[in-house]
Each structure stands twice: as structure tokens, then as C-alpha cells.
Amino acid sequence: MKISVIGGGSWGLALSNVLSNNKHEVLVYDKSTKIINKINKLHICYQLNENINEDIKATNNLTEVLNFSETVLFAVPTKVLRDVLNDVNKVQSKPKLFINAAKGIEPDTFLRVSEIFNEMIPSKFLKGFVALSGPSHAEEVIKNMTTVVTTASDVNEHAVFAQMLFNNNDYFRVYSSTDLKGVELGGALKNIFALASGLIAGKGMGDNARAALITRGLVEMEKFYENYGADTKSLKGLTGLGDLVVTCTSSHSRNYQAGFKIGHGKDLEETLKSMTMVVEGIRTCEAAYKYAVEHDLDLPIITAIYHVLFDKMTPELALKKLFERSLKSEH
Ligand SMILES: NC(=O)c1ccc[n+]([C@@H]2O[C@H](COP(=O)([O-])OP(=O)(O)OC[C@H]3O[C@@H](n4cnc5c(N)ncnc54)[C@H](O)[C@@H]3O)[C@@H](O)[C@H]2O)c1
């Protein structure tokens, strides 16, 4: 099949490589000419400096990429999603199945990516929407290292279609799910705890603290799901616990790296300037904190991370406040 990919960064190209390994034809769109040239001339992912398959082609012509296929994979940061969708609306002429691999929530609206697509893409052009999520670092996928993810859609047929597109019996196993809400929420929220995990590592804390963070993070995610009306079954799955574990324990995670720098004393602005790649957890933390306040939801770790990121609270004070809370039963 032919597949269009929007976003030629780390994740867009790692997934393009999976598709190309599966013998699909891939055309990638990115706004950066440098990235296009690296793909077409050197067959390299610029952000990761890794080789990709030579038959993956790239363009900075959005009309060309949209005319290429009726299946479009999105891998751009959620921060630019609305701009890209505006551009897409100016040129698209046929209905598409959209597959999104970005993980985030819009801070001002608390909309999930599927909801942004529903809001922005006219229904006559929106054949369907699938989220692809799970424990998966581009750094490993691009080297064909064993990875297991989930494709989710409200329409089972669409989730299964994407499952078959991406599944590779050698290294990339894909499950399907109809719990789109739970899958999208998990992929977004886990980034906040990845930031926290980096932060405590940056402060010199060890495995005990990290294990406690992952466990209590999962409890906060569960509270969130229940309040938000999401099914908690995906929390125990690849896109919940699976993704939470990988982002909290791997130095590949941008969110972990950003947290680590903040833990080492850099402030948010300085940290973001030093990162060349997207850190979704910051916007998601803002979104989740605002949601928690609005819904009177007690989420101590998310609150602590929010104050460190946005109110210049020191990590030491945030931790002290966490420990000074009244003692309670675990469950
Ligand atoms: N990197 C990973 O391991 C990984 C894994 C799973 C999910 N994700 C998610 O995928 C999304 C993208 O992450 P990434 O790591 O690929 O980021 P990245 O920074 O490596 O790449 C983002 C790409 O988007 C392009 N882009 C930015 N604005 C654009 C626009 N207006 N039009 C077209 N292209 C534009 C950039 O030029 C860049 O090539 C994020 O939401 C991230 O959370 C990443």
C-alpha cells in the first residue's frame, strides 16, 4: 500500500521504516528542508542520526503527500497539530483514514488528539481515526529492535487495518483496541511521570524512589481515568502501564531527559532551549493540572510537577510538600 506520513522527525521516520520494512510505499512530509534533504539524499533520520530505508521518500509539498495515499500517519508534536490541520484543510480533496502517533493533550481545551481531528477536519474528509501508542522509543524502533504497541479506534475495523499495516513478525507486534479514549489518555499522562522520574534521578534519588513514583503515578492515572469517564482497562495495558514504565525508566525519553536537567538545577526555559526535540509532558502537565483543579481532583504528583515547572517551586520544596501530606491508607 501507499502511506503518507506527516512529520519526518524521530517518530515519523522510525514508523516509516516499519512501514517500508512491511513493503509499503512511504512518502514523508516535513516543513524542514534540511530534514527532507537528509531523507532523500542521505537516507538518514536527522534527529537520531540513524539510517532509514532508501525507498522512503520525502517532500515539503503538502498537496503531493496528501494526494499520495488515502491513509495518513501523523507524527508531529501536538503543539503544531492545529496549524498542520489548517494547512491540510486548505489542500485536501478526498476522505482519509488518519493514524496519529503523537502523544499529548491540548492545555487550553483538554482535548485529545482524536477530538482535535473531529473538530477540525470536515466529516466528509475524515474516513476514520486511529491512535498508535505503547512503549516505543524511536531510537529502538529505527534499529528494528523488538517493540510491541497498540492501535486504537472507536471503529474496530480501522484499528485492525492499522494493526495489519504496522505489524511486523520480526520485531514490531501490534495489538488492536477499541478503547480510543483510554489509549489516548494513557499516552499523554505518562509523560508527566517521565518528567518526574527524570527529575528525581537528577536529584540523585534511586530505584526505590522511581518504583514508588511509577506506582503512585499509576494511582493518579487511575483517578484521572475515573473522573474523565475513561475505561481503566487500558491502564493495565501497553498504552498505560507499559508506556509509563518505559518512559520512567529509559534515558531515551525526552521527558525524562528534560526532568533530569531540571533536577540538576536548570530552569524550564533553559532546559527547553537545550532540547532539540519535543517534550510533550510539559504541555500535558499544564493540561492535567488545570483539569484537576477544575474537577477538584487530588493528584499530588501532577500538582508537584506543575509547581516545579510553572511556579518555579524548587524540586526540594515540592518533594517536602509531598512527604508532609497527611498519612493515609494505601488503597
Ligand atoms: N520519539 C519517540 O520515541 C516517540 C515515541 C512515541 C511517540 N512520540 C510522539 O511523536 C510526536 C513527535 O515526536 P518526535 O520525537 O518525532 O519529535 P521530533 O522533534 O523528533 O520531530 C517532530 C517533527 O515534526 C516536524 N514539524 C514540526 N512542525 C511541523 C509543521 N508545522 N509541519 C510539518 N512538520 C512539522 C519537525 O520538523 C520535526 O521533523 C510527539 O508527540 C511525541 O510524543 C515520539
Side-chain angles (χ1 to χ4, degrees):
M1 283 195 62
K2 289 182 167 184
I3 316 290
S4 310
V5 177
I6 302 211
S10 330
W11 197 216
L13 291 184
L15 289 173
S16 296
N17 228 29
V18 176
L19 292 168
S20 158
N21 287 339
N22 290 351
K23 306 293 173 220
H24 299 301
E25 255 182 85
V26 180
L27 182 64
V28 178
Y29 164 84
D30 201 285
K31 61 163 196 191
S32 154
T33 313
K34 186 156 64 178
I35 284 173
I36 303 295
N37 288 339
K38 291 270 182 195
I39 297 170
N40 287 336
K41 294 185 181 151
L42 299 174
H43 315 294
I44 275 177
C45 168
Y46 169 71
Q47 279 91 335
L48 300 178
N49 197 24
E50 289 284 349
N51 293 325
I52 54 169
N53 293 355
E54 289 192 10
D55 52 8
I56 297 171
K57 302 283 178 253
T59 175
N60 53 10
N61 182 328
L62 192 56
T63 309
E64 186 188 350
V65 86
L66 289 172
N67 287 340
F68 183 73
S69 162
E70 285 173 17
T71 305
V72 185
L73 170 68
F74 264 73
V76 290
T78 53
K79 197 175 173 180
V80 301
L81 183 64
R82 281 187 186 269
D83 293 341
V84 179
L85 290 181
N86 264 326
D87 292 343
V88 164
N89 279 338
K90 286 180 200 148
V91 294
Q92 71 176 337
S93 56
K94 281 190 185 147
K96 311 274 181 209
L97 177 72
F98 292 98
I99 303 173
N100 170 61
K103 295 172 178 170
I105 295 272
E106 195 167 55
D108 295 335
T109 60
F110 207 79
L111 288 181
R112 289 172 282 118
V113 173
S114 60
E115 295 174 307
I116 298 175
F117 270 79
N118 277 330
E119 192 181 285
M120 291 197 65
I121 302 280
S123 53
K124 63 178 177 184
F125 293 133
L126 187 59
K127 196 154 92 185
F129 180 93
V130 178
L132 185 151
S133 193
S136 47
H137 288 308
E139 287 82 351
E140 295 188 4
V141 174
I142 211 160
K143 291 184 193 148
N144 299 355
M145 289 170 72
T146 301
T147 301
V148 185
V149 299
T150 299
T151 52
S153 173
D154 289 335
V155 180
N156 186 48
E157 190 191 326
H158 292 153
V160 171
F161 173 80
Q163 175 182 34
M164 283 158 64
L165 271 187
F166 283 94
N167 189 72
N168 180 296
N169 286 348
D170 292 329
Y171 74 104
F172 202 80
R173 182 165 169 79
V174 185
Y175 285 87
S176 62
S177 163
T178 49
D179 181 21
L180 178 61
K181 201 177 193 180
V183 163
E184 285 189 291
L185 201 57
L189 291 178
K190 57 90 192 179
N191 282 330
I192 308 170
F193 302 103
L195 269 165
S197 181
L199 208 142
I200 61 174
K203 288 258 76 109
M205 287 174 227
D207 295 344
N208 296 351
R210 184 190 290 145
L213 170 71
I214 292 171
T215 314
R216 295 307 300 175
L218 197 61
V219 172
E220 289 196 16
M221 284 173 74
E222 190 176 17
K223 275 193 206 167
F224 210 110
Y225 272 55
E226 281 164 358
N227 186 284
Y228 188 73
D231 190 334
T232 52
K233 75 176 173 222
S234 291
L235 263 184
K236 281 180 269 167
L238 293 160
T239 60
L241 181 61
D243 213 356
L244 181 66
V245 168
V246 85
T247 32
C248 286
T249 57
S250 166
S251 53
H252 287 317
S253 162
R254 315 288 142 64
N255 295 283
Y256 179 96
Q257 289 167 14
F260 192 85
K261 288 180 183 185
I262 295 167
H264 258 295
K266 277 196 180 178
D267 71 16
L268 181 59
E269 233 169 83
E270 236 184 301
T271 302
L272 289 181
K273 260 192 222 151
S274 67
M275 310 274 305
T276 51
M277 290 175 258
V278 62
V279 183
E280 290 277 12
I282 293 167
R283 272 164 52 90
T284 306
C285 182
E286 188 187 354
Y289 174 77
K290 283 183 183 165
Y291 181 94
V293 170
E294 222 169 273
H295 294 82
D296 202 16
L297 204 51
D298 180 30
L299 303 173
I301 303 173
I302 291 178
T303 303
I305 297 298
Y306 178 85
H307 289 313
V308 171
L309 293 176
F310 295 99
D311 293 335
K312 294 194 183 300
M313 184 183 279
T314 62
E316 289 79 3
L317 182 58
L319 191 71
K320 187 163 179 284
K321 282 177 170 281
L322 276 174
F323 269 73
E324 281 174 357
R325 287 173 311 129
S326 61
L327 295 179
K328 46 191 77 164
S329 147
E330 185 179 6
H331 301 293

